[in-house]
Amino acid sequence: MRTGSGAAWVRPAVLALLWGSTFLWIRLALDGLTPVQVTVVRCALGALVLAVLCFVRGQRLPGGRRTWRHIFVAAFFCNALPFGLFSVGQQTVSSGLAGVLNATTPLWSLLIGLALGTERGLRPVRAAGLVTGFAGTVLIFAPWQQSGAAGWGALAILGAAASYAVAFAYMQRHLVGKGVPTLSLATAQLLAATGLTALALPAGGLDSPWGSPAALVAVTVLGVFATGVTFLLTYRIIADEGATDAATVGYLLPVVSVLLGALVLGEDLGLRGVAGMAVVLAGVAMTRRRVATTRLRGEPDGRRGFSDRTPGALPSSAESRQTRQTRQSP
């Protein structure tokens, strides 16, 4: 089915709204829970939501030891490690700054894609869009006006952004396009992340988990929407458009996080911040132009995706060939 340019923006826009609100919910949840507790609870709630959706749609979890090994590696780099680093970092970093630092993910993803050879045919307009988007985040951040921004909290969030980029590239190479529905993969990965993060509970998560009502509400929203729903959308974009395009959504996060920080937490939002948001949106528009144009023309974008077919649906001939090749491979 052909989709217009507007459809190319729907999922990234929804993902940016949910993903960008993550930093607000983490900040509120930390008022009553430890970083480890926040990480474990958000993974568990996200996995529960997707597991219920998986059951309703009649989809099963992936099978095979090799697939599950890849899932656990992806769960570590995409969920357990960055979720923990964000919770630690936001103890000393504002939600707006956290969103800006996380916006380095597209650049990390581009560098990794170029190194691995998965990012090919980088057009000048798209490259300019990546640079423009990062310039907008720098304008919002204004590092020349910040003091102590290079502390451990900021470094932790930068590490989380790089971890996301590694995970996206790994997921694109080893998990998507292998005949397993997106929902099943996302559910399995959050289940694996729950198990991995639970191992860290003795290090700082055995205190009483009953914080303030606001903290409990925040961690619930964080787990259900900003983890479960967000992660499913992320997997779909990686499958359909590639790791770098999924990471590009990170440029929209400063816009969402700074706006929410100003509206809910009373953080400053001046003329420079507004100008930075405009630059970010312009950069993202340039990077998304290729996706929208490709879909309008009905041309393949060179990436191997897959759909969530309903049970009993017959695979296409291309999918059948791909399945046979996968079974024959060692």
Side-chain angles (χ1 to χ4, degrees):
M1 179 183 296
R2 296 185 180 184
T3 54
S5 59
W9 278 90
V10 173
R11 279 188 300 189
V14 174
L15 177 58
L17 179 61
L18 295 176
W19 195 358
S21 69
T22 297
F23 312 106
L24 169 64
W25 302 122
I26 291 177
R27 172 53 64 91
L28 294 176
L30 287 172
D31 287 339
L33 292 85
T34 67
V36 175
Q37 289 171 347
V38 172
T39 304
V40 174
V41 172
R42 68 177 295 191
C43 287
L45 287 176
L48 177 61
V49 169
L50 294 189
V52 171
L53 185 58
C54 219
F55 176 78
V56 171
R57 297 188 60 177
Q59 295 185 4
R60 298 180 178 180
L61 294 178
R65 293 182 179 179
R66 183 177 182 181
T67 299
W68 276 96
R69 284 198 299 267
H70 290 315
I71 287 174
F72 269 95
V73 173
F76 176 77
F77 285 105
C78 190
N79 307 111
L81 180 60
F83 288 1
L85 290 175
F86 277 125
S87 295
V88 170
Q90 281 204 251
Q91 291 181 306
T92 56
V93 173
S94 69
S95 63
L97 178 55
V100 172
L101 293 174
N102 186 59
T104 59
T105 299
L107 295 181
W108 290 113
S109 183
L110 176 62
L111 292 175
I112 293 172
L114 292 174
L116 296 178
T118 57
E119 183 63 41
R120 300 174 181 175
L122 184 63
R123 298 179 180 178
V125 172
R126 188 160 175 253
L130 289 168
V131 175
T132 301
F134 184 72
T137 64
V138 172
L139 184 58
I140 297 173
F141 177 26
W144 55 87
Q145 295 185 1
Q146 303 290 329
S147 60
W152 288 108
L155 290 177
I157 295 175
L158 280 175
S163 184
Y164 272 142
V166 171
F168 289 173
Y170 189 89
M171 291 154 66
Q172 180 181 354
R173 170 167 286 194
H174 297 289
L175 290 173
V176 302
K178 306 299 182 182
V180 182
T182 312
L183 178 57
S184 298
L185 283 174
T187 304
Q189 190 165 320
L190 280 183
L191 287 172
T194 302
L196 291 173
T197 55
L199 296 176
L201 283 174
L206 296 180
D207 297 333
S208 174
W210 303 110
S212 64
L216 296 178
V217 171
V219 77
T220 301
V221 176
L222 176 66
V224 173
F225 296 101
T227 302
V229 178
T230 295
F231 188 54
L232 178 59
L233 289 174
T234 301
Y235 239 122
R236 291 302 302 270
I237 294 178
I238 292 175
D240 293 344
E241 302 171 20
T244 301
D245 284 315
T248 303
V249 178
Y251 280 153
L252 293 173
L253 304 193
V255 177
V256 176
S257 62
V258 170
L259 283 176
L260 290 176
L263 294 174
V264 180
L265 301 179
E267 296 173 356
D268 291 335
L269 174 62
L271 181 61
R272 187 193 68 252
V274 175
M277 291 179 191
V279 175
V280 166
L281 291 175
V284 172
M286 295 167 70
T287 62
R288 301 296 300 174
R289 181 182 177 186
R290 177 185 61 81
V291 178
T293 303
T294 299
R295 291 185 174 186
L296 259 180
R297 295 175 178 175
E299 300 171 353
D301 62 358
R303 291 181 173 85
R304 206 179 274 180
F306 56 88
S307 60
D308 288 339
R309 294 193 306 270
T310 56
L314 295 177
S316 64
S317 58
E319 290 173 320
S320 299
R321 289 194 299 271
Q322 181 181 349
T323 301
R324 288 196 298 269
Q325 292 171 0
T326 302
R327 291 176 177 174
Q328 294 170 0
S329 63

